[in-house]
Amino acid sequence: MASKVLLGLLATAGAALAANTCDTVKDTTSIQVNKRFSIDYTNEQQEYWSAACTNALKPSCILFPKSPAEVQAVVSILNTNNETFAVKSGGHNPNNYFASVDGGPLISTKHLNEVIFDKETETVRVGPGNRWEDVAKKLDGTGYSAVGGRIGNVGVGGYLLGGGLSFMSTEYGWAANSVVSYELVLANATMITVTAASHPDIYRALQGSGNAFGIVTAYVLKTYPQGDVWGGHYTFSATDENNKKLLAAVRDFTEYYPDEKAGVILTAETTVGGLLDIWILFVYYNGPEPPAGVFSNFTDVGPLLKDVKTQSYAKLLTGNNWAVLRGSVYTIGTETTPLPSQEHGAEIMGSYLESWRNVSSGVLPVTGLIASVAFQPMPKRLAAKARSMGGDLLDLDDAVDRIIFEYDYSYWIPSDTEKVDRAMQDTYTGLATRVAGFQGEGKLPADAYLPLFMNDGYFRQDYFGRLRPENAALARRVRDELDPQGLWATRTGGFKM
């Protein structure tokens, strides 16, 4: 019966050659279509982290498919015209046009929100319209959890397609390493189920390629036994002495990673006039309490505030939602460094912080601006774990420890975008310049592989150009096979090859 419904939808959609997708979908299918000023349209437009996606970009309509068959029908209709479009999961990606569009249809996966746990296979089937707090809440009480976002409000779809860094990554690798299968709607409106056995090249390419190959309507994920966890955050003042101690702590934590069940994100935050100049350390431990000493390098610095406790994983993720800044224009960029040795650690880590502060100081007068940098440990054991679970497109080796930087600028007034755009470029290129300089001096390994982390990438950054050549070639080969007409490459946003 379902196949007959699908065939009917596709036949009707394929025969329709109306002027635009919105009207064709409305006239020929039962898919929910909402146009500007309707309640559902307005509500969905508010579900972006960046106000630029909300206020500056107005889709001609928002489509809310409720099944894979309806997604196929929409894609079939897109093939009858030349409209630009976008696909949206949680709206976390702040890059304009990646999950947002102006003047074309927006496909919201909001109603593709199933979370079906199978204890026998220890897997969970998850729709891309979920946020990670939704998944965690559904799994709460089962004794299992899925490798996912560190903030509950992050959407499932874009996160998994970008690789997905998790508090659990040193135990289980990138979130993408735990994907068992992808249900993928292709550019020709057909659907395939992708597994490592059935389509090995497509499967690997999907593990860190973004939206380059189609629309994923469901993921099947491995789950792992988990009870209560311990976590929250500490706040420190950004004095010169604390800066040195915290940078040393995150360097040492990365190299000597004390426990694979532990996770941290060390962030520095600053605003104009020094009204805010602090460090925030997000901490996680997969257990009711961490063993003594796991986080002592940080806590010995002396936090101003702490909010850490034993809780369910779902409550931890939801509790981290305070870090989401609503109503601001938001930008994210990234860079990667080999971990400096203890001998050169103070000089190099201090230089990285100085570089960020120098650039940030130039845009702090921008109205409402908050600048932040996150130091995200990428120890060798994470790379080794990812490879042991089958690998992924990023393909980190365990030759060196690394730190991945996330740079964030949020601000209020869109007219300041040009200033902030330049600052973001100066921020990540400034870091790359310093990395290259220390490599030239022999203070960092010169031959280290330093890719970019897609989930933190700025739209101007060359994600695919920083991959290993053989992996970039694999992605291009899969793209050419699955989308020879360039539907995803030319008519929607995302990182391009």
Side-chain angles (χ1 to χ4, degrees):
M1 181 63 182
S3 61
K4 290 182 179 180
V5 172
L6 170 59
L7 289 173
L9 283 168
L10 293 179
T12 303
L17 295 173
N20 62 75
T21 302
C22 299
D23 289 342
T24 306
V25 171
K26 183 177 180 181
D27 293 342
T28 64
T29 77
S30 59
I31 298 168
Q32 181 183 343
V33 181
N34 288 97
K35 294 193 174 182
R36 196 169 178 182
F37 305 120
S38 69
I39 293 175
D40 286 342
Y41 180 107
T42 301
N43 288 342
E44 188 66 18
Q45 278 291 94
Q46 296 302 316
E47 292 298 326
Y48 284 106
W49 281 30
S50 176
C53 299
T54 296
N55 299 326
L57 305 181
K58 302 296 184 184
S60 53
C61 70
I62 303 180
L63 309 176
F64 293 90
K66 294 183 174 65
S67 69
E70 291 192 343
V71 173
Q72 289 178 269
V74 172
V75 174
S76 182
I77 291 168
L78 285 169
N79 275 293
T80 70
N81 60 52
N82 293 312
E83 288 188 306
T84 56
F85 65 94
V87 183
K88 177 173 175 287
S89 174
H92 172 221
N93 194 308
N95 289 308
N96 287 347
Y97 303 103
F98 276 44
S100 52
V101 66
D102 191 38
L106 175 67
I107 304 166
S108 170
T109 61
K110 179 178 182 178
H111 297 310
L112 298 172
N113 60 353
E114 61 186 338
V115 181
I116 303 172
F117 176 60
D118 185 338
K119 188 172 184 178
E120 184 175 346
T121 61
E122 296 185 313
T123 61
V124 61
R125 181 180 171 88
V126 177
N130 287 289
R131 300 175 189 273
W132 284 107
E133 60 193 349
D134 302 323
V135 179
K137 287 174 183 177
K138 288 288 183 69
L139 291 175
D140 199 14
T142 66
Y144 288 82
S145 65
V147 180
R150 298 166 295 182
I151 295 176
N153 195 248
V154 170
V156 164
Y159 171 92
L160 284 173
L161 291 175
L165 179 58
S166 172
F167 282 132
M168 305 179 194
S169 285
T170 43
E171 282 191 276
Y172 307 119
W174 301 98
N177 298 136
S178 289
V179 179
V180 176
S181 66
Y182 302 83
E183 190 176 82
L184 180 67
V185 175
L186 303 177
N188 64 4
T190 62
M191 186 173 70
I192 59 174
T193 298
V194 179
T195 69
S198 68
H199 300 86
D201 285 353
I202 301 173
Y203 177 80
R204 185 176 180 86
L206 281 167
Q207 294 176 301
S209 64
N211 63 347
F213 310 125
I215 301 175
V216 178
T217 57
Y219 303 84
V220 175
L221 310 174
K222 295 176 185 177
T223 60
Y224 302 93
Q226 186 174 58
D228 280 347
V229 302
W230 177 92
H233 65 278
Y234 294 92
T235 304
F236 304 84
S237 59
T239 64
D240 289 343
E241 187 65 22
N242 282 358
N243 294 348
K244 294 175 183 176
K245 290 180 179 178
L246 289 169
L247 290 174
V250 74
R251 196 221 71 84
D252 291 350
F253 189 89
T254 305
E255 181 176 4
Y256 304 116
Y257 216 90
D259 194 321
E260 68 174 8
K261 294 179 180 294
V264 302
I265 318 170
L266 179 65
T267 70
E269 316 275 341
T270 188
T271 62
V272 64
L275 296 177
L276 178 75
D277 197 10
I278 57 174
W279 292 89
I280 299 175
L281 176 73
F282 293 84
V283 292
Y284 160 88
Y285 190 80
N286 187 4
E289 283 189 9
V294 171
F295 300 106
S296 60
N297 279 6
F298 297 101
T299 57
D300 286 351
V301 175
L304 293 171
L305 303 167
K306 69 175 181 178
D307 182 10
V308 293
K309 57 190 172 185
T310 303
Q311 56 195 309
S312 72
Y313 186 62
K315 288 183 178 178
L316 174 69
L317 295 191
T318 302
N320 283 343
N321 282 341
W322 64 265
V324 179
L325 297 175
R326 294 289 187 182
S328 293
V329 180
Y330 205 83
T331 60
I332 301 178
T334 188
E335 250 306 336
T336 309
T337 181
L339 186 73
S341 65
Q342 196 165 49
E343 176 187 1
H344 300 297
E347 176 191 1
I348 293 176
M349 296 293 281
S351 175
Y352 292 164
L353 182 66
E354 177 188 53
S355 177
W356 168 73
R357 284 192 174 275
N358 286 346
V359 178
S360 298
S361 65
V363 287
L364 285 179
V366 166
T367 304
L369 190 129
I370 300 176
S372 69
V373 55
F375 296 75
Q376 303 177 108
M378 293 289 120
K380 296 175 183 178
R381 67 197 305 167
L382 190 160
K385 176 61 71 173
R387 284 192 164 185
S388 74
M389 295 185 68
D392 47 79
L393 205 64
L394 203 64
D395 195 22
L396 292 180
D397 56 67
D398 59 359
V400 295
D401 296 301
R402 300 170 178 84
I403 290 179
I404 288 180
F405 292 85
E406 177 188 330
Y407 296 109
D408 304 89
Y409 290 108
S410 62
Y411 55 103
W412 293 346
I413 302 175
S415 60
D416 287 321
T417 292
E418 186 176 345
K419 296 177 187 175
V420 179
D421 173 48
R422 172 49 56 189
M424 177 59 81
Q425 293 180 69
D426 290 345
T427 300
Y428 60 73
T429 58
L431 188 283
T433 298
R434 297 203 179 203
V435 170
F438 288 122
Q439 288 177 315
E441 295 172 10
K443 296 177 180 178
L444 289 174
D447 58 349
Y449 169 55
L450 301 175
L452 297 174
F453 176 39
M454 177 179 278
N455 291 140
D456 291 345
Y458 194 52
F459 73 97
R460 296 187 184 278
Q461 296 186 278
D462 185 10
Y463 169 77
F464 286 100
R466 295 278 291 271
L467 294 176
R468 299 185 190 278
E470 62 271 24
N471 289 331
L474 170 68
R476 287 193 296 271
R477 188 167 67 250
V478 170
R479 176 202 62 188
D480 293 344
E481 173 191 344
L482 298 183
D483 186 17
Q485 303 303 315
L487 180 69
W488 313 112
T490 62
R491 291 175 54 190
T492 193
F495 291 105
K496 304 304 179 185
M497 301 175 203

